[in-house]
Amino acid sequence: MSATVPFQNLRLPTEVELEIMQAVQRVVESHHYILGREVELFEQEFATYLGVKHAVAVASGTDALCLALLAGGVIRPGAEVIVPALTSPFTAIAVVRAGGWPVFADVNQKTWTLDAESVAGCITEKTVALVPVHLYGNPVDWPPLAKLAEAHDLLVLEDACQAHGALFQGVKVGALGRVAAFSFYPTKNLGAAGDGGAIVTNDELLAAQCRHLRNGGQIGRYVHDQPVFHSRLDEIQAAILRVKLPYLDAWNEQRNKVYRDYWEKLPDCIFPALPPGSRPVAHVAAMCHPQRNRLCAHLKGRGIETLIHYPVPLHQMPAFTPYAGRPCPVAETICGRVLSLPLYLSISEQEQKQAVLAIREFSSDA
Ligand SMILES: Cc1ncc(COP(=O)(O)O)c(C=O)c1O
């Protein structure tokens, strides 16, 4: 049975899809596909949007995280990097790929993002960096984490892969710390037509190092000073992102409205709380329900697609067995109860109403 309400639908307004086709045509006619004018302009436009000095466009969010850690110069054998136990596995994959040792900290019971107390308990003499994740588009509670990082001289790398345009105390996430990573995976609030990512920073030297690394450590044609992989956003993706960026704030507003509706109309579902002073951008409408698996089956029976972000906390994920460490009870509980509801730009009032009614029907039957 095809879904009555799909989880995701990447359709854009027709006029925007036309603009995208024209942008792709422009690149094809230019015959310039790698590190050209479109990437350069997108980097400037994205940096201006965020209020930072530099953006370095790369091939994915995972690469952005990995290259930012490498460029930060903190990774040496055994270097520990604290990441939340509840996030995309790619946050920790990037740490491992950079040569770091991921240490999983529990998340806060209310916000579901990194908990300063839990982070404090994970800091050792080997800790070199901290990766707060603005999960689902919700900014982390920044001040306690920044204070801890400063006290222990840690590099803070914001994982802003799910939070393009979110604000904390009037500052865009990605501009809060020394360096941040974004993903332009197609489902992101600012998504390409393929993979893409960016590192953003105010630090000129760090930006220069990221540019050097993303080009495979090349210092001249076929001459490299480091054996690093290359990772570049291509011109077609940059041209597409340039079309979409001016719409981002309006699209975030639309997504926020859908999210608020779920929040207001589903009192039996528990949504993550927002830290004071934050303005989120709804990326994933994740909520906890004590009977998640039964609710999920009920919704599937009514043609309403859902997903789970995330089913397994990272410290229990097979890929990270060597790094397992201490238990993270809050993340474990959330992973057992969390369910993501349909949320996309083109969701109609009728589709959302169907999803809401089906959940309410489940609650009244339960
Ligand atoms: C929080 C988070 N970090 C990192 C990534 C990795 O981004 P990408 O898929 O572009 O490599 C993603 C996206 O999947 C993400 O959601």
Side-chain angles (χ1 to χ4, degrees), residues 82 116 119-120 123 127-130 132 142-157 176-178:
I82 299 174
V119 170
I123 295 175
T127 310
V128 297
L130 176 63
W142 183 254
L145 294 173
K147 212 167 136 193
L148 258 181
E150 199 183 335
H152 295 271
D153 197 21
L154 306 180
L155 173 75
V156 187
L157 164 59
L176 294 166
R178 180 157 168 237

Side-chain angles (χ1 to χ4, degrees), residues 1 4 294-305 358:
M1 185 179 89
T4 319
R294 280 189 52 223
L295 172 61
C296 183
H298 167 86
L299 293 175
K300 192 173 175 201
R302 276 157 186 68
I304 293 154
E305 270 181 6

Side-chain angles (χ1 to χ4, degrees), residues 304-325:
I304 293 154
E305 270 181 6
T306 55
L307 279 182
I308 296 175
H309 297 88
Y310 294 91
V312 183
L314 298 195
H315 64 295
Q316 294 179 340
M317 178 93 50
F320 304 120
T321 304
Y323 315 99

Side-chain angles (χ1 to χ4, degrees), residues 59-63 65 87-88 90-91 133-135 159 161-162 182-185 188 195-197 283 310:
S60 70
T62 309
D63 285 0
L65 287 164
T87 177
S88 157
F90 289 105
T91 308
V133 181
H134 305 293
L135 193 68
D159 181 337
C161 287
Q162 301 189 356
F182 284 88
S183 162
F184 305 123
Y185 183 77
K188 302 299 187 207
D195 279 310
H283 174 56
Y310 294 91

